[in-house]
Amino acid sequence: MTQFQSSPSAVPAQASVALHTGRTVGEISPLIFGGFAEHMGRCIYEGIYDPESPLSDERGLRLDVMAALRETNYRIMRYPGGNFVSGYRWTDGIGPKAERPRRRALAWRSIETNQFGPHEFMEFARELGTEPMWAVNLGTGSIQDAADLVEYMNLPTGTLYSDLRAANGHPEPYGVKYWCLGNEMDGPWQIGQMDAATYAEKAVQAAKLMRWMDPSIKTIACGSSATSMAGYPDWDMTVLNQAYDQIDYFSMHHYAANPYPTISNTEGLPLDTDSYLASSIHFAEHADTLAAAIRVAKAKNHSKRDVHLCWDEWNVWYRAKGGDGDWSEAPHILEEEYNLEDALVVATWLNTFLNKADVVKIACIAQIVNVIAPLMTRRDGMFRQTIFYPLTLFSTHAAGHALDALVRAPMRDTKRYGGVSQLDVSASFDEATGQGATFLVNRSQTEALEVTVTWENGAPQAITQAWQMSGPDPMAGNSFDTPDAVTAQPIAAPVLDGAQATLLLPPLSFTTLLSQHPQP
């Protein structure tokens, strides 16, 4: 990280953040700090699971990768797809490894060896200490296939599939709670694409059958694959209206890009970093639209149940295009290389999750290793990409309730969003521990910002720690040769002056402050 050096003659712009630990948005669900592991490229094979690596244990799990994943403290993990799941036969991945079939995985034109399957994933999740979230195949799969998988994973022995699980080495039920009803079923790229009404009917019937197997499960229905889809948000309204009383969460997907926040139309367009750094405007609008759709569906169904948002695919993705694995095992596809501006966008995305904590209750970054991921591996090592650092700081320190921060800051013009605040902020407070956390992004490429943070209902006892990542080059990133070029570094915590603290935010920076407050 390059430290910011201010010019002696420069007078930074001024901004303020007012916090009150009793003025909240909503309770922060720890499940917003989730990941996504798909059988895609090198996420599973040569990522999580690599028996050929000297860094793996006797089960084939990469020990260095597991340690880094624990740092991020993922609370939930979506599996096994993604597009992959719409052609996946879960029975291929159970039983003796030598007898498991090799198949073409049509979604990514690769060869699936099935050496990593349901039992291996559950062992991985247990080792990581994360909640598993299973997606069922509603593409080529039937509602009976989905119910059979619930039986296999969750029922006590005494029936066909629960006894088969026991015969495969796990007599006790796994107790998987969260279940995705398919993946991106509106997409023309999806195996088994269907229209909204057809999908909703299949999702309803699958959910009914799965709940009859295990009434304790929570289900997640597919929303539109992206806000750029022609059917958005009509697809979402149709599915919500039809399936509302059979689901607990509603899925949303989005990938940010510079110059434009989709993965389909950036070719040949000039970079627009100012608009890119303001992408949280789009993120917030997306969440607001679907939250409104949920409220309308609840009213139309005269329902007493609440459905929340599950942002189970999100990340930056636009440079590493093309998912053609050329029918190889663990193809090197979609291995995005992240930079400083990507890390800042990820930080503003996490700010959005906190600022929408009343409606966003699950979120899974796509993905966790190698494929559009915070971690990159080779057989003999790994490094942390820039986006690793904001993800880990939020996951480690944001807890309790999200605070409704009052932010006053200069406005900056952007081509895509018009005037946007230079400062993007979220904050949390955990009454149980007395710890507060404030997360600040200075979006400007050139202008420092002097920020005064005020705690309106009384001073904290101390500002205990602070971290910052910044630098003059938004395109700077990490690599195997320079793994620590752009990281979050500890900085001196600002001094409290009564109930206020003032700090200087360099251009292109993300800063985290921890504060300790009196406990009741």
Side-chain angles (χ1 to χ4, degrees), residues 346-375:
V346 163
T348 66
W349 217 323
L350 291 156
N351 279 344
T352 303
F353 294 157
L354 263 61
N355 291 328
K356 302 297 179 183
D358 56 330
V359 291
V360 178
K361 295 299 184 181
I362 301 176
C364 303
I365 191 168
Q367 293 187 19
I368 57 171
V369 188
N370 290 326
V371 177
I372 52 173
L375 303 176

Side-chain angles (χ1 to χ4, degrees), residues 37 43-67 69-70 79 97 115-129 368-369 377 379 382:
C43 181
I44 303 297
Y45 305 109
E46 298 185 21
I48 294 168
Y49 177 79
D50 191 358
E52 302 303 315
S53 171
L55 301 176
S56 296
D57 65 14
E58 68 281 358
R59 299 164 298 180
L61 293 176
R62 280 283 296 259
L63 296 175
D64 56 340
V65 170
M66 294 296 289
L69 294 174
R70 289 190 191 97
Y79 176 85
K97 289 189 175 185
Q115 294 301 288
F116 190 94
H119 289 268
E120 288 77 20
F121 173 72
M122 293 303 295
E123 188 167 7
F124 160 78
R126 184 178 65 245
E127 289 282 318
L128 200 58
I368 57 171
V369 188
T377 71
R379 280 267 151 82
M382 57 155 278

Side-chain angles (χ1 to χ4, degrees), residues 138 179-182 199-208 210-211 217-223 235-251 293-294 297-298 301 303-310:
L138 292 190
W179 294 85
C180 300
L181 304 171
Y199 165 72
E201 180 58 27
K202 189 170 185 179
V204 164
Q205 297 307 320
K208 284 167 56 179
M210 293 162 71
R211 287 186 197 276
I217 66 171
K218 303 293 185 182
T219 58
I220 302 107
C222 293
W235 165 282
D236 307 83
M237 289 299 307
T238 298
V239 174
L240 281 165
N241 287 337
Q242 197 167 331
Y244 193 88
D245 281 324
Q246 286 294 335
I247 63 175
D248 301 282
Y249 298 88
F250 192 66
S251 162
I294 286 172
K298 182 178 182 179
N301 280 271
S303 180
K304 301 298 183 183
R305 303 177 67 255
D306 287 323
V307 170
H308 292 108
L309 292 175
C310 174

Side-chain angles (χ1 to χ4, degrees), residues 330-347:
H332 291 222
I333 57 173
L334 307 180
E335 300 195 359
E336 191 89 10
E337 297 177 5
Y338 292 110
N339 57 33
L340 175 59
E341 68 174 14
D342 299 329
L344 300 183
V345 169
V346 163

